[in-house]
Amino acid sequence: MILIVGVGIASAGMAQPSPHPCQDPTLTRLALKHVQEGADAESLWEEAMLEDADFPWMAILRLEAEEALEPHLNSLGLDQKAMRCGEVQREEGRVVAIAPYEGSISVKGNRIEWTIAPGLEQPLLFIWEEGDEPRFVRLGKDRTLVLLEALRLPAQLQLLASDARGPRPVAWRWLGAAPALEAHLIRGPEALAQLRRERSLAPLRLNRILARAAARYAQEICGKGTLTHINASGGPEERLRLEGIEARHVSEVLARARSAEKAWEALLRSPSHRFALLDRRMTDFGAGEAQVGDFYCVVVWLAAWPRYLGPSVSS
């Protein structure tokens, strides 16, 4: 996905970033590599993940020498107290590599230790092992999860948590190797049918109301430049009711990238998003895409047995 000042403490058990602005060692090195080699944020993030990083995404900012960082934080949906960064000074300004700092995951044998930032709740740990599909564990107050057996490598661990902005990945760790996405999968709406068919899951019906709503929301989040499941109308279920629809279950996945293909690839590579796309309960879907500037956004809505009840549902 589709995606620095080391200030603030995410939680008592979390490793603290450097208190001095923009001196995170990993992100400083990535900013320097961007300057020297022109590497983009996606490739730099993948390099960091292979070297034991656990941030769920990162961005590269090119700023004037005296340009403030804060307005860019707002556009990225970052809180100054829950981020980290590294920067490189240049004659014409500075380059900043920035990433969220809202959670952490570490693995010691068959023990998984995790933390989330204050204000976040409902932690879920998604586990995706070699030769299997993602599964999740609801986490409680204990910050350690003990597995019955060691993970089959390569594997991915992705930690989700929620606040007023809705659920989102707050930490992500690759173990063993970079996740390999099936080369034959189409990077587009057809991938959903293809993925489910190959796993003997029931096909989803294309719902035109869901598709129109997904396209509108893709335009909205792409225009704002921030991925969030909550807007002024509420979360996915509330927004679905405004379309005149109720359903037994509703889910929504979002991605933003430099191309529509990359956005779809991000959805298919992320354990939590892939889990949602393979949800056996769902019967209908609608997908929408939008482009604003250099970025493309993809929104997929999934619903179980949706019923159209008309505009009165929103009253």
Side-chain angles (χ1 to χ4, degrees), residues 24-89:
D24 181 275
T26 297
L27 289 163
T28 298
R29 179 179 58 79
L30 296 177
L32 180 61
K33 190 162 187 176
H34 172 78
V35 171
Q36 294 176 334
E37 302 178 13
D40 60 20
E42 181 181 0
S43 61
L44 291 171
W45 174 73
E46 291 187 355
E47 177 183 318
M49 293 292 282
L50 289 170
E51 296 177 355
D52 208 32
D54 68 351
F55 39 83
W57 56 271
M58 62 166 287
I60 295 290
L61 303 175
R62 303 179 73 89
L63 307 178
E64 301 292 335
E66 303 300 324
E67 186 176 354
L69 186 61
E70 285 71 19
H72 298 278
L73 300 183
N74 296 333
S75 66
L76 290 170
L78 288 174
D79 187 319
Q80 191 170 6
K81 295 180 180 180
M83 64 166 189
R84 48 191 162 186
C85 70
E87 71 173 47
V88 174
Q89 300 286 343

Side-chain angles (χ1 to χ4, degrees), residues 169-187:
V170 297
W172 193 349
R173 187 171 290 280
W174 296 351
L175 303 171
L181 185 63
E182 299 93 329
H184 69 280
L185 278 182
I186 300 168
R187 272 55 166 179

